[in-house]
Amino acid sequence: MRAWAELLRVSALFTVPGDALAGAAALGARPNRSTALAVGASLCLYEAGMALNDWADREEDAIDRPHRPIPSGRISPPAALAAAGALTAAGLALAARAGRTSLAVGTALAATVWAYDLRLKHTAAGPAAMGAARALDVLLGATATATATATATATATATATATGNVLRERATSAPAGPGVAGPAAVVTRVSGNTSSASAGGGGAAARTSPRTPSPGTVTGAGAVRVTGPWDGLRTALPSATLLGAHTVAVTTVSRREAQGGSTAAPLAALVATGVLGTLAGRPTDGAVARGGLRAAPRRGTGALRPAVPALAAAGPALAGALALVYTGTAGRPLLHAALNPSPPLTQRAVGGGIRAMIPLQAALAARGGAAGIALGVMGLVPLARTFARKVSPT
């Protein structure tokens, strides 16, 4: 069991769920069942990449890392490859359950992971491929969440429209004799809007005109519009880009972790960390509206997402604080590696960069107005540290 834990680097698993949650937060939508499916798909595809990575590097590891599970003989190469295939299939199955758009993004993610491990890892395109994989992971969470939210919104809109039509028919068909009031009042609430009609005398039939939301829009207090899957992908792209850029920097440093000797890579990663921390701590325009609700994107379908005002209002300040945590977590070991690029310090810099994923994800969630999600993501930090003491994330 320990051999498989080392092969799959289970301590690094805690850096994965925040991707999908950051994607959901970028949309202003609460995580839903499809978000959970995206998290499951991400975990499976991440572990598939770990198993495939060690299978592809088994000859290199026999020289540089003979203690790894495959070169040490604790896990056979065919078993590692079979695990990679099974985990990939499981990840794609979960993505498919989240919707066709999510399956498309999940397929692109799986293809990127396999291309990196089998072809691109030792090429100049390697870091970019890893960055793309992390960005796609964020977009997987965004598209899955947006698909479910849009479906729920369409259902709610159709129900509201049908209710309004029934009430209108009842009001117009009710008899009313001379001097006798028709229906006393018809009052209905449709997505926070109230319409009423009182019957008059003289045989006039009572009429109501309940206002129903137009397709794809939910109105009223607490309404926050969330885009459909493809527009949701575009909405989450800035967050995906920041996480992808961090991954590129960490991957570039990791290419020398076994030999050391590179000062340029950790120094460049240190500069990138400062820039990314600054951007992650800067709230997006309209991220938190008055009353503690996230502002609506311009395009897309509607969905209700009531927020806890105190948490939502704390989003910008929390994003800045978490961005500082991210910068310190990644920056300190990178500075040490830049000053002394020995293999142990370079490996610590890589480990710090991996752990820094969590506060970066949390900062991105907070800057989108989802302070509750940000705090939940940060709750993974103690677990990641505990497992890292037992199984190295690199």
Side-chain angles (χ1 to χ4, degrees), residues 168-195:
R168 185 182 297 107
E169 290 175 3
R170 288 179 179 176
T172 57
S173 62
V180 179
V186 179
V187 180
T188 179
R189 291 182 179 272
V190 181
S191 301
N193 295 325
T194 302
S195 298

Side-chain angles (χ1 to χ4, degrees), residues 351-369:
I354 294 173
R355 290 191 299 273
M357 286 283 186
I358 298 177
L360 179 56
Q361 294 159 343
L364 293 174
R367 81 168 188 160

Side-chain angles (χ1 to χ4, degrees), residues 208-251:
T208 62
S209 299
R211 289 181 294 170
T212 57
S214 60
T217 303
V218 174
T219 61
V224 179
R225 293 197 299 178
V226 178
T227 59
W230 290 110
D231 282 339
L233 186 150
R234 287 191 287 270
T235 303
L237 192 57
S239 294
T241 300
L242 293 182
L243 276 164
H246 172 75
T247 304
V248 170
V250 174
T251 305

Side-chain angles (χ1 to χ4, degrees), residues 9 48-58 61 116-117 121:
R9 296 172 175 85
M50 292 297 183
L52 185 63
N53 175 78
D54 274 28
W55 179 84
D57 287 352
R58 61 192 184 279
D61 285 345
Y116 172 80
D117 285 334
K121 183 176 182 179

Side-chain angles (χ1 to χ4, degrees), residues 47 66 77 108 175 179 199-200 203 217 240 247 255 272 275 278 291-293 311 313 316 359 363 373 384-386:
E47 291 292 51
T217 303
T247 304
R255 292 159 78 90
V275 174
T278 301
L293 297 174
L311 284 179
I373 294 177
R385 287 178 177 174
T386 299

